[in-house]
Amino acid sequence: MLKFRKVYLFLAITTLAGAFLAACVSMAPRSNPDYDVSKPHHRPDGFVNRYIERSDKPGLWRWQWERLRDGLPKPPAAPIVGVRPDLELINSESTQPRVTWVGHSTLLVQVDGLNLLTDPHWGQRASPFSFAGPKRHQPPGMPFNKLPSIDAVVISHNHWDHLDQETVQTLMDRHSGIRFFVPLGIQHWFKKEIKGTVLEGPARNVIALDWDQHANIKGKTKNLELHFLAVQHWSARSIGDRYETLWGSWAFMHPDFRFWFSGDLAYSPDTKAIGDRMGGFDLAAIAIGAYEPRWFMKDSHLNPKEALQAMTDVKAKAAMGIHWGTFDGMSDEPLDQAPKDLEIAKKEFALPLNFFVLKHGESWVGR
Ligand code: ZN
Ligand code: ZN
């Protein structure tokens, strides 16, 4: 009986998903308006990775069926407990670098009087639907209305758990002077979807970067350089637009603080190249979650063991694990599994590494 129920549920989900995908196909543009023939990662229809160009892994439905059959992911073994954000620290005039984990890949990064957000997401779901798809399990570690005035936002790629339209629109509406630094191609989405977007002229507030390009922001005392750097991943907001906009990681290079935000990534020689190019970091925020089942996820996401390798590749003195514990059902491991596997991997790793996780709402303070 149970088996039949699961079959019906599976059919219902696939039908619903099929209808959505069909609707998306008709909406999706299929060309690359930013195509530059001289760039090896550009294609007329989008972009490719430097190593495994495009890994269109078959098996999405096999994975969906297997997880339904096996009842995955299991719930966390114990509740995931956040902390109250230290608003005094966050709002202080101190020039000490601070990084606060809001949840998933959303971080508040503070350096030299600047307040920056990575992949801001305060939404209830990481999904195109309001009624289905990965649901928020853990409230944001910091209420949206308690944020300090935000100077800049970096976006790693357009997946639904990284680019939340409502959050982006609210930031645009409420934080005057805010600027969004986005992967090449995402500026067109902003123009279409986000009111207040300006792509040209002195009031430009959405700046699209290609790999290995950088932009400058003036801090209180010195300049902060934001470098957009290649990692192995992909992009899509609907079917038919895979690889259409670029994806990547961000290096925040300030004389007093060098920070790397990994975005989403599979393991590849890109991380070694980042370490060589940028010369190392004081802190890296590296995605450690959404890695099971390995056969399906390994071309898209690091597991914690690979995250340790990525940390050493980019030459980070310290690393914090992100992209876990926040949205339900993104992958097969329980939401609290990544930090446990991280601890096991650290014991097995050749070197002792300062790779830790924060609680939702918790801040890391640099020297
Ligand atoms: Zn992604
Ligand atoms: Zn993600």
Side-chain angles (χ1 to χ4, degrees), residues 25-92:
V25 166
S26 57
M27 291 187 290
R30 295 199 57 89
S31 67
N32 178 1
D34 304 297
Y35 179 51
D36 176 347
V37 70
S38 72
K39 303 245 175 114
H41 63 287
H42 284 223
R43 292 289 180 276
D45 65 346
F47 302 93
V48 295
N49 285 296
R50 287 195 169 140
Y51 299 97
I52 302 169
E53 286 198 351
R54 288 180 177 176
S55 59
D56 292 312
K57 217 171 188 69
L60 176 65
W61 299 122
R62 179 186 143 198
W63 170 43
Q64 293 300 321
W65 166 244
E66 282 179 2
R67 68 197 316 226
L68 195 67
R69 182 195 62 200
D70 300 338
L72 298 174
K74 304 281 185 226
I80 298 169
V81 182
V83 298
R84 214 182 271 262
D86 186 344
L87 294 177
E88 206 173 307
L89 171 80
I90 288 165
N91 291 313
S92 82

Side-chain angles (χ1 to χ4, degrees), residues 119-120 153-157 162-163 168 181-183 186 190 228 250:
D119 289 354
V153 173
V154 300
I155 302 287
S156 64
H157 63 303
H162 298 263
L163 180 59
V168 166
F181 295 87
V182 305
I186 295 185
F190 266 78
F228 189 50
W250 290 92

Side-chain angles (χ1 to χ4, degrees), residues 329-342:
M330 299 198 57
S331 54
D332 283 359
E333 83 273 9
L335 264 191
D336 59 346
Q337 191 62 40
K340 296 176 187 172
D341 285 348
L342 178 67

Side-chain angles (χ1 to χ4, degrees), residues 157 159 162 233 264:
H157 63 303
H159 283 155
H162 298 263
H233 198 58
D264 278 358

Side-chain angles (χ1 to χ4, degrees), residues 43 48 54 83 87 99 108 119 135 138 226 290 302 339 365:
R43 292 289 180 276
V48 295
R54 288 180 177 176
V83 298
L87 294 177
V99 178
L108 170 63
D119 289 354
K135 192 169 189 300
Q138 198 66 16
L226 295 175
L302 301 174
V365 183

